[in-house]
C-alpha cells in the first residue's frame, strides 16, 4: 500500500538516513542523442549541453548526499570521453547500460545493486531541483523498512526510485515517457503488496516549455547559464 506525505521528506535536510547505493542512469551528452525533445528549442548542440549541465548537477547532489557508492550507468557505453571526464567530479564507478527499453535498463541496475544486499536509489538526470536532501529523504524512508520510495515528477513520471527489493513487474509494460509512469508504477507496487511512500514532487526538464521554466527559476549558476546561453 503506497502512502503519501513523508515525515522524513525532501525538505528535511537534517534527516538521518541509512546508506544506499546510488545508480545514476544517463546518456552521453552527444548532439542528436541526448535530450532530443529539447532540440526544437536549443538545437542538437544546445540540448546536449543542457543535458551535460543537468548530469553534472545530479552527480554533485549524489556525492554531497554521502549515502554510499555512486554508479553511473552509461549509454551508449562507458567509453564516451564525457563519462570518463566525470570521474574527476565524484568518486564514480562506470557501467554500461544493457540493451532494452528504460524499464529493462532500470531493472538491470536495481538487480545489480540489490545483490550487494543494500538499498538502491535509481536516479534520473532531468531534475535541476534535485538536492542531497531528496536523496537522503529516500534513503531515510528505506531505512524505516519501506520496500519502495518515490520522488515523483510533476509531469507524471518520477525523478528517483528507491528500492529495498525488486520485481520485474515493476518495470515491464510501463508507458515510459508518458504522464502515466507514476500511476502505473504505483499500481504495480499495489499488486505486489509492497509498502511504499511517495515524497514531494519535483519538476524535470524534458520539453521546450521546461527550458523557459528553468531559466526563470534561478536554479542555474552563472557558469551553467553561460554554457547554454549561446543556444538560447
Amino acid at each position: 500500500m503506497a502512502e503519501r506525505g513523508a515525515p522524513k521528506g525532501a525538505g528535511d535536510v537534517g534527516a538521518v538516513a541509512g546508506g544506499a547505493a546510488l545508480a545514476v542512469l544517463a546518456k552521453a551528452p552527444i548532439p542528436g542523442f541526448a535530450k532530443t525533445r529539447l532540440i526544437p528549442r536549443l538545437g542538437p548542440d544546445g540540448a546536449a549541453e543542457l543535458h551535460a549541465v543537468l548530469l553534472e548537477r545530479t552527480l554533485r547532489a549524489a556525492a554531497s548526499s554521502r549515502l554510499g557508492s555512486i554508479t553511473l550507468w552509461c549509454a551508449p557505453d562507458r567509453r564516451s570521453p564525457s563519462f570518463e571526464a566525470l570521474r574527476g567530479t565524484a568518486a564514480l564507478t562506470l557501467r554500461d547500460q544493457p540493451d532494452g527499453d528504460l524499464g529493462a535498463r532500470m531493472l538491470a541496475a536495481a538487480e545489480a545493486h540489490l545483490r550487494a544486499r543494500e538499498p538502491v536509489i535509481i536516479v534520473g538526470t532531468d531534475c535541476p531541483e534535485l538536492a542531497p536532501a531528496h536523496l537522503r529523504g529516500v534513503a531515510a524512508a528505506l531505512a524505516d523498512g519501506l520496500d519502495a520510495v518515490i520522488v515523483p515528477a510533476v509531469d507524471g513520471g518520477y525523478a528517483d526510485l528507491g528500492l529495498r527489493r525488486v520485481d520485474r513487474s515493476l518495470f515491464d509494460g510501463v508507458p515510459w515517457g508518458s504522464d502515466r509512469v507514476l500511476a502505473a508504477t504505483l499500481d504495480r507496487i499495489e499488486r505486489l503488496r509492497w509498502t511504499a511512500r511517495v515524497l514531494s514532487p519535483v519538476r524535470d526538464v524534458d520539453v521546450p516549455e521546461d527550458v523557459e521554466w528553468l531559466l526563470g527559476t534561478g536554479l542555474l549558476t552563472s557558469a551553467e547559464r553561460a554554457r547554454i546561453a549561446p543556444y538560447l
Side-chain angles (χ1 to χ4, degrees), residues 99-141:
D99 294 332
D101 68 3
L102 179 58
R105 290 177 272 133
M106 292 177 68
L107 175 63
E111 289 178 335
H113 291 289
L114 287 169
R115 278 196 293 269
R117 298 183 181 275
E118 63 178 336
V120 61
I121 304 174
I122 301 173
V123 185
T125 59
D126 301 329
C127 291
E129 292 182 307
L130 184 71
H134 293 97
L135 300 172
R136 294 190 197 114
V138 174

Side-chain angles (χ1 to χ4, degrees), residues 26-31 33-34 48 51-52 55 72-88 92 94-97:
K27 291 182 176 180
I30 300 171
F33 179 66
H51 175 67
L55 172 56
L72 183 60
W73 289 79
C74 306
D77 57 58
R78 63 183 181 274
R79 292 174 294 181
S80 171
S82 58
F83 288 137
E84 190 60 37
L86 289 171
R87 285 182 184 271
L92 299 175
L94 302 183
R95 296 188 62 168
D96 293 344
Q97 290 189 33

